[in-house]
Amino acid sequence: KAGVTQTPRYLIKTRGQQVTLSCSPISGHRSVSWYQQTPGQGLQFLFEYFSETQRNKGNFPGRFSGRQFSNSRSEMNVSTLELGDSALYLCASSLTGQTAYEQYFGPGTRLTVT
Amino acid sequence: AQKITQTQPGMFVQEKEAVTLDCTYDTSDPSYGLFWYKQPSSGEMIFLIYQGSYDQQNATEGRYSLNFQKARKSANLVISASQLGDSAMYFCAMGARAGGTSYGKLTFGQGTILTVHP
């Protein structure tokens, strides 16, 4: 079974631009979560999508948004990029149900804002 | 709100020895899950082990075991017979079931860098 895939793997953008990152979950997984990882703040939860609806949201400004499609693939968008948005963005998918627990992570997208 | 504390920024262990990585947590959720993930230098997050708050037995997965002490709010990871390939960053995380179905939001600790010496 294929794992979680994220595209692109690396991205360089200029301050003020916007960026869209993509995540394809493991087949059959309907929950997709996004995390930002930086050396200073560590791993922080951005949002979770389930059945095309945002179910949880972290404490990030409105410049960070996401969506999920009917095939469970998810995208996150960051508008008006700032230098502090440079980070590794990780996507994770999980099964749903009382016996489901672990999140499976993708390899991440490393975003550099210059 | 949930909080995870990992007080060991770095740990060193000799190959083939056991090592314990500390994790304490705080939450007001009555039902929660505790997780450990490994992140090698490549950046991928690898799931290691899970413990549910109502599980009676401590979780074990091969060389990994989770020492769960609910009253102390601790969930330490024990790695037995360390291998060179265990050198990585280790994260403790917790979550509450979203909508009763899955752990969609995880709160992570700051991590512990483990170095295994030959």
PDB file of all heavy atoms in Angstrom, chain B residues 4 17-19 26 32 47-48 65 76 89 97 108 110 116:
ATOM      1  N   ILE B   4       2.607  18.682  26.327  1.00  0.00           N
ATOM      2  CA  ILE B   4       3.576  17.592  26.408  1.00  0.00           C
ATOM      3  C   ILE B   4       4.933  18.181  26.763  1.00  0.00           C
ATOM      4  O   ILE B   4       5.353  19.167  26.144  1.00  0.00           O
ATOM      5  CB  ILE B   4       3.692  16.854  25.060  1.00  0.00           C
ATOM      6  CG1 ILE B   4       2.398  16.128  24.723  1.00  0.00           C
ATOM      7  CG2 ILE B   4       4.866  15.889  25.087  1.00  0.00           C
ATOM      8  CD1 ILE B   4       2.173  14.848  25.483  1.00  0.00           C
ATOM      9  N   GLU B  17      22.508  -1.346  24.729  1.00  0.00           N
ATOM     10  CA  GLU B  17      21.961  -1.025  26.036  1.00  0.00           C
ATOM     11  C   GLU B  17      20.544  -0.489  25.903  1.00  0.00           C
ATOM     12  O   GLU B  17      20.109  -0.100  24.813  1.00  0.00           O
ATOM     13  CB  GLU B  17      22.847   0.003  26.744  1.00  0.00           C
ATOM     14  CG  GLU B  17      24.196  -0.552  27.144  1.00  0.00           C
ATOM     15  CD  GLU B  17      24.994   0.422  27.991  1.00  0.00           C
ATOM     16  OE1 GLU B  17      24.586   1.605  28.086  1.00  0.00           O
ATOM     17  OE2 GLU B  17      26.025   0.005  28.530  1.00  0.00           O
ATOM     18  N   ALA B  18      19.823  -0.445  27.020  1.00  0.00           N
ATOM     19  CA  ALA B  18      18.469   0.106  27.029  1.00  0.00           C
ATOM     20  C   ALA B  18      18.520   1.592  27.383  1.00  0.00           C
ATOM     21  O   ALA B  18      19.448   2.053  28.049  1.00  0.00           O
ATOM     22  CB  ALA B  18      17.603  -0.640  28.037  1.00  0.00           C
ATOM     23  N   VAL B  19      17.528   2.319  26.905  1.00  0.00           N
ATOM     24  CA  VAL B  19      17.453   3.759  27.192  1.00  0.00           C
ATOM     25  C   VAL B  19      15.996   4.139  27.413  1.00  0.00           C
ATOM     26  O   VAL B  19      15.087   3.559  26.798  1.00  0.00           O
ATOM     27  CB  VAL B  19      18.067   4.585  26.045  1.00  0.00           C
ATOM     28  CG1 VAL B  19      17.297   4.400  24.747  1.00  0.00           C
ATOM     29  CG2 VAL B  19      18.150   6.062  26.409  1.00  0.00           C
ATOM     30  N   ASP B  26      -0.099  16.854  30.187  1.00  0.00           N
ATOM     31  CA  ASP B  26      -1.169  17.467  30.951  1.00  0.00           C
ATOM     32  C   ASP B  26      -2.366  17.645  30.017  1.00  0.00           C
ATOM     33  O   ASP B  26      -2.209  18.110  28.885  1.00  0.00           O
ATOM     34  CB  ASP B  26      -0.732  18.820  31.512  1.00  0.00           C
ATOM     35  CG  ASP B  26      -1.709  19.337  32.559  1.00  0.00           C
ATOM     36  OD1 ASP B  26      -2.477  18.530  33.123  1.00  0.00           O
ATOM     37  OD2 ASP B  26      -1.721  20.554  32.813  1.00  0.00           O
ATOM     38  N   TYR B  32      -7.849  10.011  26.058  1.00  0.00           N
ATOM     39  CA  TYR B  32      -6.787  10.540  25.215  1.00  0.00           C
ATOM     40  C   TYR B  32      -5.842   9.414  24.815  1.00  0.00           C
ATOM     41  O   TYR B  32      -5.904   8.300  25.343  1.00  0.00           O
ATOM     42  CB  TYR B  32      -6.013  11.653  25.928  1.00  0.00           C
ATOM     43  CG  TYR B  32      -5.525  11.275  27.307  1.00  0.00           C
ATOM     44  CD1 TYR B  32      -4.275  10.672  27.487  1.00  0.00           C
ATOM     45  CD2 TYR B  32      -6.311  11.518  28.425  1.00  0.00           C
ATOM     46  CE1 TYR B  32      -3.846  10.319  28.752  1.00  0.00           C
ATOM     47  CE2 TYR B  32      -5.885  11.152  29.696  1.00  0.00           C
ATOM     48  CZ  TYR B  32      -4.663  10.565  29.858  1.00  0.00           C
ATOM     49  OH  TYR B  32      -4.241  10.206  31.109  1.00  0.00           O
ATOM     50  N   PHE B  47       5.862   6.329  13.100  1.00  0.00           N
ATOM     51  CA  PHE B  47       5.097   5.944  14.280  1.00  0.00           C
ATOM     52  C   PHE B  47       5.765   4.759  14.965  1.00  0.00           C
ATOM     53  O   PHE B  47       6.167   3.790  14.321  1.00  0.00           O
ATOM     54  CB  PHE B  47       3.668   5.571  13.872  1.00  0.00           C
ATOM     55  CG  PHE B  47       2.896   4.873  14.945  1.00  0.00           C
ATOM     56  CD1 PHE B  47       2.394   5.583  16.014  1.00  0.00           C
ATOM     57  CD2 PHE B  47       2.696   3.509  14.888  1.00  0.00           C
ATOM     58  CE1 PHE B  47       1.681   4.935  17.012  1.00  0.00           C
ATOM     59  CE2 PHE B  47       1.987   2.851  15.872  1.00  0.00           C
ATOM     60  CZ  PHE B  47       1.476   3.566  16.939  1.00  0.00           C
ATOM     61  N   LEU B  48       5.898   4.852  16.293  1.00  0.00           N
ATOM     62  CA  LEU B  48       6.518   3.777  17.053  1.00  0.00           C
ATOM     63  C   LEU B  48       5.527   3.005  17.914  1.00  0.00           C
ATOM     64  O   LEU B  48       5.478   1.771  17.879  1.00  0.00           O
ATOM     65  CB  LEU B  48       7.614   4.339  17.954  1.00  0.00           C
ATOM     66  CG  LEU B  48       8.824   4.980  17.274  1.00  0.00           C
ATOM     67  CD1 LEU B  48       9.769   5.547  18.318  1.00  0.00           C
ATOM     68  CD2 LEU B  48       9.527   3.988  16.370  1.00  0.00           C
ATOM     69  N   SER B  65       8.769  -0.105  24.299  1.00  0.00           N
ATOM     70  CA  SER B  65       7.691  -0.244  25.271  1.00  0.00           C
ATOM     71  C   SER B  65       7.401   1.125  25.861  1.00  0.00           C
ATOM     72  O   SER B  65       8.270   1.998  25.901  1.00  0.00           O
ATOM     73  CB  SER B  65       8.060  -1.251  26.370  1.00  0.00           C
ATOM     74  OG  SER B  65       9.215  -0.827  27.059  1.00  0.00           O
ATOM     75  N   ASN B  76       6.730   7.370  29.412  1.00  0.00           N
ATOM     76  CA  ASN B  76       8.121   7.246  28.980  1.00  0.00           C
ATOM     77  C   ASN B  76       8.302   6.129  27.961  1.00  0.00           C
ATOM     78  O   ASN B  76       7.697   5.066  28.075  1.00  0.00           O
ATOM     79  CB  ASN B  76       9.029   6.990  30.177  1.00  0.00           C
ATOM     80  CG  ASN B  76       8.992   8.123  31.179  1.00  0.00           C
ATOM     81  OD1 ASN B  76       8.636   9.253  30.852  1.00  0.00           O
ATOM     82  ND2 ASN B  76       9.351   7.819  32.417  1.00  0.00           N
ATOM     83  N   MET B  89      15.684  11.887  16.264  1.00  0.00           N
ATOM     84  CA  MET B  89      14.883  12.700  17.178  1.00  0.00           C
ATOM     85  C   MET B  89      13.641  11.895  17.534  1.00  0.00           C
ATOM     86  O   MET B  89      13.030  11.283  16.643  1.00  0.00           O
ATOM     87  CB  MET B  89      14.500  14.009  16.497  1.00  0.00           C
ATOM     88  CG  MET B  89      13.588  14.902  17.325  1.00  0.00           C
ATOM     89  SD  MET B  89      14.472  15.767  18.623  1.00  0.00           S
ATOM     90  CE  MET B  89      14.890  17.288  17.752  1.00  0.00           C
ATOM     91  N   ARG B  97      -9.673  11.982  20.886  1.00  0.00           N
ATOM     92  CA  ARG B  97     -10.392  11.508  19.705  1.00  0.00           C
ATOM     93  C   ARG B  97     -11.327  12.591  19.188  1.00  0.00           C
ATOM     94  O   ARG B  97     -12.162  13.100  19.919  1.00  0.00           O
ATOM     95  CB  ARG B  97     -11.189  10.242  20.016  1.00  0.00           C
ATOM     96  CG  ARG B  97     -10.319   9.013  20.122  1.00  0.00           C
ATOM     97  CD  ARG B  97     -11.153   7.753  20.068  1.00  0.00           C
ATOM     98  NE  ARG B  97     -10.339   6.557  20.180  1.00  0.00           N
ATOM     99  CZ  ARG B  97      -9.793   5.934  19.144  1.00  0.00           C
ATOM    100  NH1 ARG B  97      -9.960   6.416  17.945  1.00  0.00           N
ATOM    101  NH2 ARG B  97      -9.071   4.849  19.311  1.00  0.00           N
ATOM    102  N   PHE B 108       2.547  17.896  20.197  1.00  0.00           N
ATOM    103  CA  PHE B 108       3.876  17.285  20.304  1.00  0.00           C
ATOM    104  C   PHE B 108       4.727  17.962  21.366  1.00  0.00           C
ATOM    105  O   PHE B 108       4.594  19.165  21.633  1.00  0.00           O
ATOM    106  CB  PHE B 108       4.617  17.392  18.961  1.00  0.00           C
ATOM    107  CG  PHE B 108       4.121  16.440  17.913  1.00  0.00           C
ATOM    108  CD1 PHE B 108       3.021  16.761  17.130  1.00  0.00           C
ATOM    109  CD2 PHE B 108       4.751  15.220  17.700  1.00  0.00           C
ATOM    110  CE1 PHE B 108       2.566  15.888  16.153  1.00  0.00           C
ATOM    111  CE2 PHE B 108       4.301  14.344  16.736  1.00  0.00           C
ATOM    112  CZ  PHE B 108       3.206  14.678  15.967  1.00  0.00           C
ATOM    113  N   GLN B 110       8.823  18.833  22.578  1.00  0.00           N
ATOM    114  CA  GLN B 110       9.924  19.463  21.852  1.00  0.00           C
ATOM    115  C   GLN B 110      10.915  18.453  21.286  1.00  0.00           C
ATOM    116  O   GLN B 110      11.780  18.803  20.492  1.00  0.00           O
ATOM    117  CB  GLN B 110      10.658  20.447  22.756  1.00  0.00           C
ATOM    118  CG  GLN B 110       9.864  21.721  23.021  1.00  0.00           C
ATOM    119  CD  GLN B 110       9.578  22.493  21.749  1.00  0.00           C
ATOM    120  OE1 GLN B 110       8.464  22.517  21.228  1.00  0.00           O
ATOM    121  NE2 GLN B 110      10.598  23.134  21.195  1.00  0.00           N
ATOM    122  N   VAL B 116      23.152   6.956  19.531  1.00  0.00           N
ATOM    123  CA  VAL B 116      23.604   5.628  19.934  1.00  0.00           C
ATOM    124  C   VAL B 116      25.062   5.491  19.533  1.00  0.00           C
ATOM    125  O   VAL B 116      25.410   5.618  18.357  1.00  0.00           O
ATOM    126  CB  VAL B 116      22.757   4.532  19.272  1.00  0.00           C
ATOM    127  CG1 VAL B 116      23.233   3.152  19.722  1.00  0.00           C
ATOM    128  CG2 VAL B 116      21.284   4.717  19.610  1.00  0.00           C
TER     129      VAL B 116
END
